[in-house]
Structure formats: structure tokens, C-alpha cells
Amino acid sequence: MYPWHDTFHMGIVHFMAYPQATTQEDVVQSVEEILVDEFFQAIEVSALLDEGVLQTIGTMCDVARVEVLLGAQPLVLSKGLNLGALEEEERKQALEALKQAVDKAYVAKAKALAFPSGKRPGERKEEEARKRLVESLVELCRYAEQRAEVSGYLLGVNLEVFDYAVDKRALIGPAPFAFEVASLVRAECPNFGLTIDLSHEPLLFEDPAGTLTLLAPFVNHVHIGNAVLVKGHPAYGDTHPRFGLKEGCNDVQEITEFLRALFRIGYFERTTFAEHPVISFEVKPLPGENPRLVVANAKRTFLSAWNRLFPIL
């Protein structure tokens, strides 16, 4: 047992760590590889998987006593969905796709669903886009509430804060915009929250501790990863490379400070939709790298950061 087991659940974003797992057999095998590792108490799987595979994963996680979360980031990014779209038909199309992701989350017995907003439309239209986004999020949260009546539990709905100007160019976005949107949605929907990803903070040119302090009331889910801002580097942008890269923005010290900020805002004491608050690695192998080694790298890096906070005497 690791010292944080009763404080938070350590997770991993499966579809980033194992990008080569595209067949059902590969997905199930690589999920099992994570589930037999007692380091992890949570796993995030892709909303692009079909319901049969998700049901299988849900059963596996139940046996292993690991919590499932559903990631709709691949769905939104691969299909160019935009919950803040100014064109009503485009917005409704995105909303319908995310409602289907809610259905899949309940099939997998996932505790929460995470996804990005979609692209920003341009500065002069962003205020209107944020209004449309709020409208979409409220409807999505209410849909999840309706499904809860049948499923027996309420799904957490988490908007992930992405980069604004470097790679994905998402509407949400800078912390003040995230605060504005989250305040409006949470006022109507208690199952709404935000996903904060350490790897996106350098891409937003924001201070992670400052972001967490501002957004503290809404932080329901956390990712930890790395980023590279050196143009021309294979890991430039929102690629979530392993820790330890010379050009990387995040490593042991940055994770240590991020954890310290999470303690400071009371993240580990709050009630989220999972059994315990979740921190998930979001790391992806560069071409030619072995996923198992990249996962091992993340674990060692986290242990080093944790030991700086709580030295082993």
C-alpha cells in the first residue's frame, strides 16, 4: 500500500500511455497491465471505445477495485467538436456526441467524464462562444442527472482546461475564462467541475499554483504531465512527453510544487464524484519509446516528488 491510498487515488490516462492499443484485444490487455499494478487506483479510458469494450473494462475494474473515469478528449479532438460553436447546428452536434459519451460512461460505471471545450473562434467572438459553452455544459450536466435516476449514481462532468494559443487553441483556456464559465455552470449544476492538467500550464503561460488558487472551488479532477515549448522539438505542444526531457517544462520540482498547491487548496479533503480525489498521469511515449518504460518513468518521478513533500526518515 502506498502512503496516499487513503488520501487520493492515483490514476493514469490509458489512451495516452498506450497509443498503439487500437484493437479490442490490445486495449483489454494493456488495461489489465495497469489494473494488476497496485500503484494505480484509477484508470481513464477513451470514449471512442465501443460500449461492449467499456462494459468489459468496467467489470475488470470492479474485480481489481480500481475506479474508472471516461475521457472524451479523443472524441472531441478527433471529430473537431465544439460545445461553444456559434453555429447552432454545430453546437448541437457536439452536445449530442457528448451525451452519447455520458451514456457510455454509465455503461462503464465510470465516476466522471472529462473533455475540452473545443476551439476558440477568435477574440471578438469569444464572449458569445463562452455563453454558448455555458448553455451546452448546463444541458450536458442535466442530462447526466437524468441518467443518474436509472444508473443509481451521479456522474461527474468535468471540463478540462486546455491551451489557448499554442497547440489545441481551446476556448477554455485561460484561468479567468475557466472561472467565469465554471461559476455560471456550477450555480445550476452541482455535478460540474474542472480538470486541471499540469502539462497544460506551461502552454497557457500560467503559474500552476495561481491557477489552482483561482479555480479551487471547481477543481474536481487533476492530471500530471510534461510539456515542451521548444519549437521544432518532436514533443513540442500538447504531446504529454515523459518526464526527464532536457527541454521539458515539468519534472520533480514542478510536481512537488503542484502537489503542495493541491494540499493548500484542500483538494484532498473535498468530496468529488470518485471514492477519493483522483490524480492521473497523462504521459505519452515519443516515437520508438516503450509505453511500459514511460509509465515506470512517471511513477518514479512522482515518488521523488512525493518524498520531497514527505521525506522518508
Side-chain angles (χ1 to χ4, degrees):
M1 180 175 178
Y2 289 88
W4 56 77
H5 275 201
D6 290 330
T7 304
F8 65 89
H9 279 175
M10 177 60 71
I12 186 165
V13 182
H14 166 266
F15 50 86
M16 292 295 283
Y18 293 86
Q20 85 291 352
T22 55
T23 67
Q24 178 175 337
E25 182 180 358
D26 288 343
V27 167
V28 171
Q29 181 179 349
S30 53
V31 165
E32 182 177 344
E33 192 171 297
I34 293 168
L35 298 187
V36 298
D37 186 347
E38 64 179 8
F39 193 91
F40 298 110
Q41 301 84 50
I43 185 170
E44 303 186 28
V45 295
S46 172
L48 289 174
L49 298 174
D50 64 43
E51 290 191 359
V53 176
L54 288 171
Q55 192 167 32
T56 297
I57 291 172
T59 300
M60 292 169 64
C61 289
D62 190 43
V63 172
R65 205 167 188 176
V66 170
E67 294 192 288
V68 190
L69 294 88
L70 195 66
Q73 299 91 338
L75 172 68
V76 171
L77 296 173
S78 66
K79 297 185 180 299
L81 302 178
N82 193 343
L83 290 171
L86 301 178
E87 294 293 333
E88 184 63 8
E89 188 59 36
E90 182 183 355
R91 187 186 72 85
K92 286 184 175 179
Q93 183 181 18
L95 185 56
E96 182 58 34
L98 267 298
K99 285 181 178 179
Q100 292 175 15
V102 167
D103 294 339
K104 285 186 171 184
Y106 279 117
V107 167
K109 299 180 182 178
K111 300 298 180 64
L113 172 71
F115 51 88
S117 60
K119 284 190 177 293
R120 50 190 288 225
E123 292 182 9
R124 294 184 180 181
K125 299 179 180 178
E126 286 185 20
E127 184 175 356
E128 181 61 29
R130 291 196 296 274
K131 291 179 181 178
R132 299 292 181 90
L133 176 61
V134 168
E135 183 180 344
S136 298
L137 292 171
V138 168
E139 186 171 342
L140 187 64
C141 288
R142 287 178 174 165
Y143 179 76
E145 289 176 342
Q146 294 169 6
R147 285 297 314 273
E149 296 174 6
V150 177
S151 303
Y153 73 97
L154 180 58
L155 180 76
V157 177
N158 296 323
L159 177 68
E160 182 170 358
V161 176
F162 266 67
D163 77 87
Y164 183 72
V166 174
D167 190 343
K168 300 299 189 293
R169 301 176 184 268
L171 180 63
I172 307 297
F177 292 163
F179 183 88
E180 173 192 328
V181 168
S183 299
L184 293 170
V185 179
R186 176 68 71 78
E188 298 190 48
C189 305
N191 59 328
F192 176 77
L194 295 174
T195 296
I196 304 300
D197 189 332
L198 177 61
S199 63
H200 293 162
E201 289 298 293
L203 305 180
L204 284 160
F205 305 99
E206 292 182 343
D207 170 53
T211 295
L212 288 173
T213 300
L214 176 63
L215 301 179
F218 313 110
V219 179
N220 275 357
H221 181 217
V222 171
H223 285 169
I224 289 180
N226 197 7
V228 170
L229 282 173
V230 179
K231 291 185 178 180
H233 191 281
Y236 173 75
D238 186 27
T239 63
H240 298 268
R242 60 179 168 82
F243 299 106
L245 291 177
K246 181 178 68 172
E247 302 86 355
C249 298
N250 297 328
D251 209 333
V252 174
Q253 184 58 37
E254 288 74 21
I255 296 173
T256 303
E257 294 304 321
F258 193 63
L259 288 170
R260 184 174 284 119
L262 288 170
F263 275 104
R264 190 180 303 124
I265 68 168
Y267 177 67
F268 302 112
E269 285 77 46
R270 69 185 51 181
T271 300
T272 64
F273 291 87
E275 183 180 345
H276 291 297
V278 172
I279 297 178
S280 289
F281 294 134
E282 187 169 4
V283 289
K284 183 179 181 179
L286 289 169
E289 292 184 344
N290 185 317
R292 293 183 181 182
L293 300 183
V294 172
V295 172
N297 167 306
K299 291 163 63 176
R300 292 188 178 101
T301 304
F302 185 85
L303 287 170
S304 295
W306 184 264
N307 191 50
R308 289 191 181 184
L309 282 180
F310 305 101
I312 300 174
L313 300 179

